[in-house]
Amino acid sequence: QPVGNFGHVFDEAFENCYSPLLETLSRYPDVRFSIHHTGPLLEWIKENRPEYIEKLRGLVAEKRVEILGGGFYEPILSVLPERDAVGQLEMMNEWTEKHLGQRPRGAWLAERIWDPAIPRVLDGAGLEYTLLDDTHFHYASLSDEDMHGYYVTERHGHTTAVFPIDKFLRYSLPFKQPEETRDYFQGIAERHGSTSVTYGDDGEKFGLWPETHDWVYKKKWLERFLEMLENNRDLIETITFSEYLDRFPPRGRVYLPMASYEEMGHWALPVHAASKFRQIVTEVKDGDKENGYKPFLRGGLWDNFLVKYEESNRMHKRMLYVSGRVKDALAETADETLREEMHRELYRGQCNCPYWHGLFGGLYLSNLRHANYSSLIKAGRAADLALHGDGRWLEVKRDDFFKSHTHSEVVETADLFVLIDPAYGGTVAEIDYKPAAFNITNVLARRPEAYHQKIIAAVENKGGAENEILSPHDRVALKEEGLDDKLIFDNYLRRSFLDHFFDSAPEAELFRHSSVEEKGDFIGASYSPVSASDENGIGVILLEREGLVESNGVTVPIKLQKRFEVDPAKSEIVCLYSIENLGKESAEFVFGVEWNFTLLAADADDRYITIGGERYKMNSEGNSENVTDWTMTDEYFRFAVSLHSDKPVTLARYPVETVSQSEGGFESNYQGTAFIALSAVILEPSATVAREFRLAVKPV
């Protein structure tokens, strides 16, 4: 269970899966097994169902169970700084030793994501082995007949044992009858003699996946399976990984490429490549060539999610930034409470779920992204205390934040983290309000996904035969009506202080439908970073760009300058615009400045927008005239974001909604609200106009 998941999800998972699974297994003393829990789940169980921990500890003491370690908050170890990856593993080692009476010898890798550097990380935490899908071994050119026992691999002299997970078992349990598994084992024994077969998979398949609770427990599949194991002890011996390592040598050496399970490779591909890859895989399967082609058919790497989704990359780079800040702060403080808080919150912010998207909601779920950001902000704030104390302070620095050989401007105060990206429209990429541990700019862009075609096909097929039966791969469950109307895609990232030029002031509906024609070339373009400095205690960032604006059929050169001022005393960001006509023709246009904000909830009564004394829901849409001030208020997290324009504007607003797949079907998700301040400008040659916008975040 990921950091930030809802309490009712933990409750349901525990009652329908985790508790009955452990209780049933405990009644079969001759069956040995290994088990891994994620850190967030262990913390929840310890707090809410402590009797489960005691039962598990007893099974460990009886040597019936081996505990599998792993990164405590279930991170993708390969994309963390090595110090954090080892730290996550050690946190799990220490927790299980303290509460379950056993220090792990092996680790479960989140999403079975392997990197050749993993042996170094595991060895750094004193761990000896892991288990991976047989897919990884096929990519190293091993055959189905090689998927028994275990292999050794190494990196820079750091050695790790790796067990291949059997695909037949992964797809059979708990869906096939126990007798079929018994026959499968018999066949292996006849072909290979005494050998081992590894099964490892998600525990949620035993009660939480659709229809599995009734099948596994009420129809007693699990009891029948365990009885089959006990009744066939002459054929099958259940054994823990550590026991097998101690009793048997490895089958050989293997060097595995970067990989995960097969579906992850598909999901990580960009849309156009995913469609092509699916076509190739289908052709290979239809041609009955899958076995021969299997080692050479691979999708993308998990890391490609950082390319596919800019928001994932931004969160990952925010995590790296905080990790570096925590490292610096740890060198400055001996306060154990503060040190523990920094580590805990940093590691929580590394939980993998909101960094990617496949079958589950992942990145598309704003509550999961918020949970990671909230933890990262808390870790950063704890580091602030170590570095600056609890007084007022200001940091202004130029940093390759995105690790892209481009400079970003970072301004930090005790209350604000402000990330300005000159390379992308001179925009503000992130605003964090530290007292509430809240990223108010955590808004996901609307983009096409390969599976969107399934939604369109399902809607078009509504009039088809009622008795038409589709395969599980083609079946589409729409969790709400009108999803096809929400398949609208953005032309730019959801940043703030985006600069627009239009012929006239568009209606909010046109913005929502991405139907507005830009007359300038400033969106997403690179701005020149003129300066970044501390001017009398105020952080000042000066950016400028010379671009082109189409006005009355004439292209006019325009110089746009943006001066950001961040005042630590006011928790305020001021943006002073200067728009200069560099041409010989007059220019007439509507200038727009856009912000994208979230308070997480679309229509909750305690989160709302106020314009001219009128209150609106966060998912409301419309244009308001002659506006100088508007506010977003969050009574739940107890802060408000207010904006002020020095001149009256037409304010357009609309909700940003995405359409994504989840395990339960296709659904829309509210991501945030877009605001665009529009004002008419007539600019003579060599003339300049100015605009000023003030954004302040305050407690309520």
Side-chain angles (χ1 to χ4, degrees):
Q1 296 297 330
V3 171
N5 214 352
F6 297 117
H8 68 84
V9 177
F10 281 90
D11 278 322
E12 178 187 358
F14 184 85
E15 297 299 333
N16 289 333
C17 180
Y18 308 139
S19 180
L21 178 59
L22 190 66
E23 192 280 326
T24 304
L25 286 166
S26 70
R27 289 192 274 110
Y28 292 82
D30 292 330
V31 176
R32 320 278 288 283
F33 60 96
S34 303
I35 193 165
H36 166 79
H37 299 73
T38 65
L41 179 57
L42 286 172
E43 290 179 331
W44 184 90
I45 292 174
K46 182 78 167 56
E47 179 70 23
N48 296 277
R49 303 289 195 279
E51 67 280 3
Y52 179 98
I53 299 294
E54 291 307 310
K55 178 183 283 290
L56 186 56
R57 185 183 180 94
L59 293 173
V60 170
E62 295 170 14
K63 300 188 183 305
R64 294 171 55 188
V65 172
E66 178 178 13
I67 298 299
L68 273 174
F72 192 83
Y73 288 107
E74 207 71 0
I76 305 299
L77 293 175
S78 62
V79 296
L80 300 187
E82 186 173 323
R83 62 180 178 273
D84 294 343
V86 173
Q88 288 258 15
L89 293 167
E90 289 180 335
M91 179 180 280
M92 179 68 81
N93 292 347
E94 293 168 4
W95 199 100
T96 59
E97 186 172 30
K98 177 179 178 181
H99 299 287
L100 298 175
Q102 186 179 86
R103 190 174 184 86
R105 290 176 62 182
W108 176 262
L109 298 182
E111 304 301 328
R112 281 98 78 199
I113 291 171
W114 174 263
D115 181 282
I118 290 294
R120 177 184 172 99
V121 173
L122 295 180
D123 192 30
L127 295 161
E128 302 171 49
Y129 71 85
T130 189
L131 51 157
L132 298 168
D133 289 8
D134 52 7
T135 307
H136 298 67
F137 296 81
H138 284 303
Y139 292 154
S141 299
L142 275 68
S143 70
D144 288 339
E145 298 301 302
D146 299 321
M147 300 302 167
H148 305 132
Y150 70 93
Y151 294 82
V152 292
T153 189
E154 60 81 30
R155 182 73 163 190
H156 301 159
H158 300 273
T159 305
T160 295
V162 283
F163 289 81
I165 300 171
D166 187 279
K167 183 177 181 179
F168 175 86
L169 296 180
R170 203 168 66 244
Y171 279 75
S172 299
L173 276 60
F175 307 109
K176 293 183 181 296
Q177 296 294 345
E179 293 73 22
E180 294 185 57
T181 303
R182 192 260 176 217
D183 293 343
Y184 179 67
F185 287 146
Q186 182 67 54
I188 291 174
E190 292 171 356
R191 294 193 307 275
H192 300 281
S194 179
T195 189
S196 75
V197 181
T198 294
Y199 171 72
D201 212 343
D202 297 336
E204 286 76 15
K205 292 173 75 171
F206 299 88
L208 200 58
W209 282 25
E211 302 179 16
T212 57
H213 180 77
D214 284 350
W215 172 246
V216 171
Y217 303 110
K218 293 183 179 179
K219 296 182 179 178
K220 300 187 182 299
W221 178 92
L222 184 56
E223 289 185 16
R224 291 187 288 112
F225 180 81
L226 296 173
E227 287 169 2
M228 181 275 292
L229 293 178
E230 288 199 333
N231 293 336
N232 287 274
R233 279 175 286 185
D234 58 329
L235 173 66
I236 307 161
E237 176 189 0
T238 57
I239 188 171
T240 64
F241 292 103
S242 292
E243 289 176 307
Y244 195 84
L245 283 174
D246 293 339
R247 285 172 53 182
F248 300 99
R251 290 196 60 175
R253 180 181 304 277
V254 69
Y255 288 95
L256 303 171
M258 290 182 69
S260 181
Y261 50 86
E262 186 176 348
E263 295 86 350
M264 178 70 80
H266 298 185
W267 295 330
L269 291 171
V271 172
H272 67 282
S275 299
K276 182 65 175 176
F277 186 75
R278 188 175 293 108
Q279 177 187 340
I280 293 171
V281 170
T282 301
E283 291 173 359
V284 168
K285 287 182 177 179
D286 291 346
D288 199 23
K289 299 177 180 178
E290 185 177 8
N291 287 337
Y293 283 46
K294 195 172 189 177
F296 313 106
L297 278 177
R298 297 178 57 187
L301 307 175
W302 186 92
D303 305 57
N304 291 146
F305 286 112
L306 305 181
V307 178
K308 186 175 182 179
Y309 302 106
E310 186 273 342
E311 298 86 351
S312 172
N313 182 60
R314 193 191 326 157
M315 184 160 55
H316 178 257
K317 300 311 180 282
R318 181 72 168 106
M319 178 272 292
L320 294 180
Y321 180 92
V322 172
S323 176
R325 197 165 179 85
V326 165
K327 178 187 175 185
D328 292 342
L330 289 171
E332 297 294 326
T333 181
D335 186 327
E336 279 304 316
T337 300
L338 201 57
R339 294 172 67 89
E340 288 177 11
E341 182 181 359
M342 281 188 274
H343 277 131
R344 182 181 65 254
E345 296 298 346
L346 170 62
Y347 293 169
R348 285 173 64 85
Q350 294 170 342
C351 181
N352 80 84
C353 300
Y355 285 96
W356 63 281
H357 171 62
L359 176 60
F360 297 88
L363 175 75
Y364 276 88
L365 301 181
S366 59
N367 63 299
L368 296 188
R369 297 198 312 274
H370 168 74
N372 273 37
Y373 270 118
S374 181
S375 289
L376 293 175
I377 295 166
K378 289 175 182 176
R381 201 175 189 207
D384 292 345
L385 285 174
L387 295 169
H388 294 287
D390 57 3
R392 188 177 297 166
W393 53 272
L394 171 72
E395 284 186 16
V396 181
K397 58 185 172 183
R398 185 161 289 172
D399 186 78
D400 184 9
F401 183 90
F402 292 101
K403 310 305 176 190
S404 59
H405 280 210
T406 60
H407 290 299
S408 299
E409 315 292 354
V410 177
V411 183
E412 286 210 65
T413 73
D415 290 341
L416 293 179
F417 172 88
V418 182
L419 171 63
I420 298 171
D421 186 6
Y424 192 87
T427 53
V428 174
E430 183 174 339
I431 303 171
D432 297 337
Y433 181 54
K434 296 180 183 180
F438 203 106
N439 175 0
I440 64 172
T441 52
N442 177 21
V443 182
L444 191 72
R446 304 172 297 179
R447 51 172 57 84
E449 297 282 4
Y451 52 71
H452 284 158
Q453 291 302 316
K454 293 183 179 181
I455 298 173
I456 296 171
V459 172
E460 291 176 348
N461 196 43
K462 274 187 174 179
E466 291 184 6
N467 295 325
E468 183 179 8
I469 297 175
L470 300 175
S471 76
H473 296 285
D474 297 323
R475 188 178 300 118
V476 176
L478 305 182
K479 297 174 72 173
E480 59 189 90
E481 294 291 329
L483 283 180
D484 54 322
D485 293 332
K486 294 183 178 181
L487 293 178
I488 302 165
F489 309 123
D490 291 322
N491 301 315
Y492 50 85
L493 300 176
R494 289 286 165 185
R495 299 287 186 85
S496 289
F497 293 97
L498 285 153
D499 307 322
H500 296 279
F501 292 85
F502 305 119
D503 275 339
S504 57
E507 292 295 323
E509 182 181 10
L510 293 176
F511 282 114
R512 183 169 60 83
H513 281 90
S514 289
S515 300
V516 180
E517 184 181 359
E518 292 282 344
K519 293 299 181 178
D521 61 358
F522 289 80
I523 294 289
S526 179
Y527 279 57
S528 299
V530 178
S531 62
S533 60
D534 178 342
E535 295 186 7
N536 300 317
I538 295 177
V540 177
I541 308 296
L542 188 61
L543 311 175
E544 66 181 25
R545 168 176 165 76
E546 293 184 8
L548 301 173
V549 174
E550 184 182 332
S551 173
N552 297 320
V554 176
T555 301
V556 180
I558 295 290
K559 180 179 178 180
L560 194 151
Q561 191 176 82
K562 302 164 80 165
R563 176 186 167 96
F564 291 100
E565 298 178 355
V566 181
D567 187 344
K570 299 180 180 178
S571 296
E572 182 178 75
I573 304 168
V574 179
C575 186
L576 302 165
Y577 278 92
S578 172
I579 310 169
E580 181 182 357
N581 185 345
L582 300 179
K584 298 179 180 179
E585 304 283 343
S586 64
E588 186 174 347
F589 50 81
V590 169
F591 178 60
V593 179
E594 178 176 344
W595 301 265
N596 287 278
F597 298 132
T598 183
L599 299 182
L600 299 180
D603 58 359
D605 290 336
D606 57 357
R607 276 159 273 195
Y608 50 86
I609 303 162
T610 306
I611 306 172
E614 295 290 328
R615 183 178 293 189
Y616 303 93
K617 294 291 181 84
M618 291 300 300
N619 61 355
S620 64
E621 177 182 318
N623 282 39
S624 302
E625 304 296 332
N626 296 315
V627 176
T628 56
D629 296 276
W630 63 100
T631 304
M632 295 189 313
T633 302
D634 190 327
E635 295 178 354
Y636 184 84
F637 287 97
R638 304 189 63 80
F639 70 91
V641 181
S642 61
L643 289 106
H644 170 78
S645 171
D646 66 330
K647 293 180 174 59
V649 298
T650 296
L651 182 67
R653 70 184 188 285
Y654 66 94
V656 179
E657 295 178 296
T658 55
V659 177
S660 61
Q661 71 176 355
S662 68
E663 66 276 20
F666 294 93
E667 61 189 2
S668 65
N669 293 101
Y670 168 79
Q671 299 294 342
T673 303
F675 299 88
I676 308 96
L678 304 161
S679 57
V681 175
I682 299 176
L683 202 57
E684 298 299 330
S686 302
T688 300
V689 297
R691 293 287 186 271
E692 178 183 296
F693 295 96
R694 291 179 175 268
L695 184 157
V697 192
K698 304 289 185 182
V700 295

